[in-house]
């Protein structure tokens, strides 16, 4: 029988992997107590602290197993992410949970306030055993009603997407749709608590976005009402994270590997994703057999010279020394991603021999850069429809070709891009693609570099656009054209960068799907090119005039 890895890598643990989710048992119990008492909890923590995992592999299975005191034994548990359409995403999940028509649910929820509680009480999930309607039912009908009755748990995962997606913002502030969702959720929590209605709501959010919540009415009060900040793991908990999954999976793991990982783990960001990714790579390098230090060296997380002598001889033929990058736990992510990058290009060229390596590489870099956005100096994930990426490639490919190019990043066991191959085999134009975890942005040296350069390019674009606008506002006066130095700089930059509507709209507070803003952005780019051309013409004319004078 082929075993699966008990370590998920960069992706979150799933409910099915709950048995392997270790080190957070006390934290899960505290979250459950808050939910029981307050019907709400906002789970916050730094990026990489395992917020999604603690919900899906901790809270959810515990609730279903009866470790959560609530009115009914059954649970309807549904998750939505705000993404680019929070109200629509929420309506879809509530309609599924309550088994109601989506259009009806959407219309009712649009009224805000108590409408979610109203819908829940209308559904078969809710049961009031003290009501006259219930007492008038036959014994069989009562049993059937009790069988259907369920608590409702609504999980709003990655709440920060209200602030990181342009579609949810208007001039930098949350739009009406975002405020509607906040209104619905805050009033639902209040009514559920006051009337002891078994509706529970969980938010997960990166702690560095807590300040942004002040712009959503009712949300700051919720944070003060019930918040759980995920603490960093101590040494014993880290040991449990490393050792327990292997033991439960029937794998042998050497003490010296466990000790080295514990001692090498930093207190900073990405503590958990780095451990999980290291263990995933180690497990796969060992093929699920005895996990030892030399497997960490194979994954480029430890120098060969740091191994015991007998292990150095064991792997000398299995590893390429590679570059001079420091071999530490962080480098396991960097080495894996870089290896996949090279493999993807080579595999693609082997299959499609007409493609030039440079063009394939340019397209892959474009895809990866498009999935990252710098937000106040921090690299964040940016979810994009696959069709939008396909339409904006510098060197055209068809749907099948682009699928094949990025497949290694989505392949089960690699899981650096989502959706993963075991969830969706081939992406269509409407499939949203994203980086699986922001720790990839921080630890893959190439991606971090591309993201920063991309952000710098945007600052250059803003500067050029500002000067173009000044020229236009002053009736295109020659006095506002560029001099030779700045003109040479901007011409070189625009030739190298080739800014597109798609690229500009990633950084602007604009909806990519909005045709009017697409047209407006396209006009802006045309004006910039006209401004550069006029500046060049003016300089050439001045040089010609100077020649004639001589």
């Amino acid at each position: 029988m082929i075993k699966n890895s008990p370590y998920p890598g960069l992706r979150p643990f799933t409910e099915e992997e709950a048995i392997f989710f270790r080190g957070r048992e006390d934290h899960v119990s505290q979250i459950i107590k808050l939910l029981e008492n307050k019907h709400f909890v906002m789970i916050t923590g730094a990026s990489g602290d395992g917020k999604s995992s603690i919900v899906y592999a901790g809270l959810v299975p515990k609730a279903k197993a009866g470790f959560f005191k609530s009115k009914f034994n059954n649970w309807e548990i549904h998750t939505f992410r705000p993404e680019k359409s929070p109200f629509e995403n929420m309506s879809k999940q509530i309609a599924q949970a309550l088994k109601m028509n989506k259009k009806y649910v959407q219309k009712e929820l649009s009224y805000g306030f108590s409408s979610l509680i109203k819908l829940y009480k209308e559904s078969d999930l809710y049961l009031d055993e003290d009501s006259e309607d219930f007492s008038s039912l036959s014994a069989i009908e009562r049993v059937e009603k009790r069988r259907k009755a369920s608590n409702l748990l609504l999980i709003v995962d990655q709440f920060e997407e209200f602030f990181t997606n342009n579609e949810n913002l208007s001039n930098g502030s949350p739009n009406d749709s975002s405020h509607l969702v906040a209104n619905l959720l805050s009033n639902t929590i209040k009514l559920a608590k006051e009337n002891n209605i078994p509706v529970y709501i969980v938010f997960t959010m990166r702690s560095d976005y807590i300040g942004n919540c002040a712009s959503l009415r009712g949300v700051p009060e919720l944070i003060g009402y019930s918040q759980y900040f995920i603490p960093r793991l101590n040494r014993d908990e880290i040991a449990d994270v490393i050792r327990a999954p292997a033991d439960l999976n029937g794998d042998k793991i050497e003490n010296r590997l466990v000790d080295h990982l514990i001692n090498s783990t930093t207190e900073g960001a990405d503590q958990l994703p780095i451990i999980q990714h290291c263990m995933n790579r180690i497990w796969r390098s060992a093929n699920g057999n005895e996990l030892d230090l030399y497997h960490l060296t194979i994954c480029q997380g430890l120098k060969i010279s740091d191994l015991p002598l007998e292990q150095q001889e064991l792997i000398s033929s299995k590893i390429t020394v590679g570059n001079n990058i420091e071999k530490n736990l962080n480098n396991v992510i960097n080495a894996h991603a870089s290896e996949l990058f090279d493999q993807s290009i080579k595999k693609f060229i082997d299959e499609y021999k007409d493609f030039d390596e440079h063009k394939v590489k340019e397209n892959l870099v474009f895809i990866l850069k498009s999935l990252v956005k710098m937000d106040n100096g921090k690299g964040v994930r940016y979810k994009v429809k696959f069709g939008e990426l396909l339409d904006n490639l510098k060197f055209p490919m068809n749907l099948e070709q682009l699928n094949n190019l990025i497949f290694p990043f989505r392949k089960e066991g690699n899981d650096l891009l989502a959706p993963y191959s075991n969830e969706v085999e081939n992406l269509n134009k409407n499939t949203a693609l994203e980086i699986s975890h922001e720790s990839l942005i921080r630890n893959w040296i190439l991606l971090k570099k591309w993201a920063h350069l991309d952000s710098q390019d945007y600052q250059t674009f803003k500067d050029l656009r500002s000067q173009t606008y000044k020229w236009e506002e002053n009736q295109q006066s020659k006095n506002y054209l560029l001099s030779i130095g700045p003109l040479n700089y901007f011409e070189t930059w625009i030739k190298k960068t080739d800014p597109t509507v798609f690229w500009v709209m990633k950084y602007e507070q604009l909806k990519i799907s909005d045709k009017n803003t697409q047209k407006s952005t396209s006009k802006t780019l045309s004006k910039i090119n006209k401004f550069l051309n006029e500046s060049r013409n003016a300089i050439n004319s001045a040089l010609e005039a100077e020649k004639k004078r001589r």
Side-chain angles (χ1 to χ4, degrees):
M1 184 174 128
I2 299 173
K3 293 189 292 186
N4 291 323
S5 171
Y7 306 96
L10 289 187
R11 65 168 176 79
F13 279 87
T14 64
E15 186 180 342
E16 291 72 27
E17 295 167 327
I19 189 173
F20 300 124
F21 181 65
R22 297 291 158 149
R24 294 287 193 194
E25 289 80 3
D26 289 344
H27 309 154
V28 173
S29 297
Q30 292 174 54
I31 289 168
I32 287 174
K33 283 180 183 176
L34 281 170
L35 260 182
E36 284 175 345
N37 295 330
K38 300 193 173 183
H39 290 251
F40 167 75
V41 63
M42 174 175 272
I43 300 172
T44 60
S47 175
D49 276 354
K51 297 176 289 296
S52 296
S53 293
I54 209 169
V55 171
Y56 301 129
L59 169 62
V60 169
K62 288 280 188 185
K64 288 183 176 180
F67 291 94
F68 192 120
K69 296 174 188 174
S70 192
K71 192 167 186 175
F72 307 124
N73 294 326
N74 298 328
W75 286 88
E76 274 290 336
I77 300 174
H78 288 258
T79 301
F80 80 91
R81 283 174 53 180
E83 296 181 341
K84 299 177 181 182
S85 307
F87 180 68
E88 186 176 332
N89 293 346
M90 182 180 70
S91 300
K92 179 181 177 182
Q93 290 303 314
I94 290 171
Q96 287 180 12
L98 305 182
K99 297 170 180 61
M100 291 180 172
N101 178 273
K102 183 186 170 184
K103 286 186 178 178
Y104 171 70
V105 167
Q106 204 159 359
K107 181 183 175 183
E108 289 295 311
L109 290 178
S110 68
Y111 300 130
F113 300 102
S114 62
S115 51
L116 176 49
I117 292 292
K118 173 180 173 290
L119 286 170
Y120 173 72
K121 292 175 82 171
E122 286 177 6
S123 75
D124 288 338
L125 301 187
Y126 181 65
L127 173 60
D128 182 359
E129 293 186 293
D130 297 326
S131 69
E132 290 183 14
D133 288 343
F134 182 76
S135 60
S136 65
L137 297 174
S138 67
I140 295 174
E141 287 172 328
R142 289 183 191 180
V143 169
E144 182 63 17
K145 277 279 187 182
R146 289 192 182 102
R147 188 183 65 80
K148 289 181 178 178
S150 299
N151 311 306
L152 174 62
L153 172 59
L154 187 63
I155 301 161
V156 189
D157 197 13
Q158 297 182 35
F159 193 84
E160 66 270 14
E161 289 182 347
F162 277 104
F163 316 114
T164 59
N165 282 315
N166 300 335
E167 282 79 354
N168 302 329
L169 303 168
S170 178
N171 296 320
S173 299
N175 58 24
D176 290 343
S177 176
S178 298
H179 281 295
L180 173 59
V181 175
N183 171 274
L184 276 164
L185 296 172
S186 57
N187 279 284
T188 298
I189 293 159
K190 180 183 176 185
L191 292 168
K193 169 66 176 171
E194 289 176 353
N195 299 288
N196 195 27
I197 296 169
V199 174
Y200 303 88
I201 294 175
V202 173
F203 295 172
T204 70
M205 186 179 72
R206 275 176 44 174
S207 51
D208 44 340
Y209 283 91
I210 286 178
N212 297 71
C213 291
S215 60
L216 280 173
R217 290 185 294 273
V219 175
E221 290 77 11
L222 288 177
I223 298 171
Y225 171 64
S226 181
Q227 180 191 5
Y228 186 80
F229 186 89
I230 297 181
R232 289 289 162 88
L233 299 174
N234 59 37
R235 287 181 65 88
D236 289 341
E237 290 165 340
I238 292 172
D240 205 22
V241 166
I242 295 166
R243 183 181 293 282
D247 291 343
L248 289 163
N249 207 42
D251 304 316
K252 181 172 173 52
I253 182 168
E254 290 293 333
N255 289 333
R256 58 189 171 191
L257 173 61
V258 178
D259 291 341
H260 177 81
L261 290 169
I262 292 171
N263 292 330
S264 302
T265 301
T266 62
E267 288 294 324
D270 301 329
Q271 181 190 58
L272 268 176
I274 286 171
I275 292 173
Q276 283 295 340
H277 194 76
C278 282
M279 289 310 302
N280 179 277
R281 300 301 297 156
I282 289 168
W283 188 91
R284 292 179 188 282
S285 296
N287 292 318
N289 297 318
E290 188 174 321
L291 282 61
D292 207 342
L293 267 177
Y294 73 91
H295 293 114
L296 180 59
T297 302
I298 291 171
C299 301
Q300 299 196 45
L302 181 69
K303 290 188 293 187
I304 295 178
S305 58
D306 289 337
L307 289 173
L309 284 175
E310 72 274 12
Q311 291 208 329
Q312 290 184 32
E313 295 170 5
L314 194 64
I315 68 160
S316 58
S317 62
K318 295 184 181 180
I319 187 168
T320 303
V321 176
N323 52 37
N324 295 321
I325 293 173
E326 185 181 352
K327 302 296 189 293
N328 53 31
L329 300 192
N330 302 58
N331 189 55
V332 175
I333 294 176
N334 176 60
H336 184 208
S338 296
E339 181 185 347
L340 288 178
F341 182 77
D342 293 337
Q343 283 179 1
S344 298
I345 295 169
K346 183 179 184 306
K347 182 173 175 291
F348 187 90
I349 291 170
D350 287 346
E351 188 169 352
Y352 304 100
K353 301 189 186 301
D354 293 339
F355 272 87
D356 174 77
E357 181 178 345
H358 168 73
K359 293 178 180 179
V360 176
K361 183 178 178 179
E362 284 280 305
N363 278 355
L364 185 53
V365 171
F366 163 76
I367 295 294
L368 293 164
K369 282 200 308 186
S370 297
L371 302 176
V372 181
K373 178 180 170 182
M374 298 304 292
D375 184 31
N376 292 321
K378 301 185 293 283
V380 297
R381 291 179 288 180
Y382 186 70
K383 189 180 262 193
V384 185
K385 282 186 179 178
F386 198 55
E388 291 170 352
L389 295 169
L390 188 70
D391 293 341
N392 286 279
L393 291 173
K394 188 172 183 180
F395 304 103
M397 289 179 176
N398 61 36
L399 191 66
E400 178 191 281
Q401 290 167 340
L402 191 55
N403 259 298
N404 288 343
L405 179 59
I406 67 163
F407 182 81
F409 290 89
R410 299 177 50 240
K411 186 180 177 182
E412 187 176 5
N414 295 333
D415 299 329
L416 297 187
L417 295 182
Y420 313 114
S421 62
N422 61 330
E423 298 173 344
V424 181
E425 187 174 354
N426 289 307
L427 309 182
N428 61 45
K429 288 190 174 184
N430 290 317
T431 309
L433 186 69
E434 68 176 333
I435 286 167
S436 61
H437 199 285
E438 283 168 2
S439 59
L440 180 66
I441 305 169
R442 292 186 286 271
N443 291 284
W444 184 12
I445 293 170
L446 278 174
L447 185 58
K448 189 176 182 179
K449 175 186 169 186
W450 294 332
H452 280 287
L453 288 173
D454 201 49
S455 180
Q456 288 171 15
D457 282 336
Y458 175 61
Q459 296 305 317
T460 301
F461 167 79
K462 285 203 301 183
D463 186 19
L464 177 54
R465 183 180 58 185
S466 174
Q467 296 198 49
T468 302
Y469 285 169
K470 281 182 183 176
W471 173 64
E472 280 218 311
E473 287 164 3
N474 289 276
Q475 290 76 47
Q476 301 186 2
S477 166
K478 289 184 178 182
N479 296 329
Y480 288 86
L481 291 172
L482 295 171
S483 59
I484 187 68
L487 177 60
N488 287 339
Y489 172 78
F490 284 123
E491 283 183 332
T492 302
W493 174 82
I494 210 158
K495 185 177 179 182
K496 173 176 166 255
T497 309
D498 188 22
T500 63
V501 172
F502 174 78
W503 176 77
V504 173
M505 293 176 78
K506 179 175 83 168
Y507 282 100
E508 302 287 319
Q509 303 299 335
L510 303 171
K511 292 184 179 180
I512 290 176
S513 58
D514 191 325
K515 300 296 181 187
N516 290 329
T517 48
Q518 283 187 28
K519 192 180 289 186
S520 173
T521 306
S522 180
K523 282 182 180 178
T524 297
L525 290 171
S526 296
K527 288 174 183 176
I528 286 171
N529 283 316
K530 183 181 177 183
F531 174 59
L532 292 175
N533 288 335
E534 291 292 326
S535 295
R536 176 57 66 188
N537 291 337
I539 286 170
N540 289 339
S541 297
L543 290 172
E544 284 295 322
E546 183 66 24
K547 280 182 184 178
K548 287 178 182 178
R549 278 199 298 271
R550 289 178 182 176

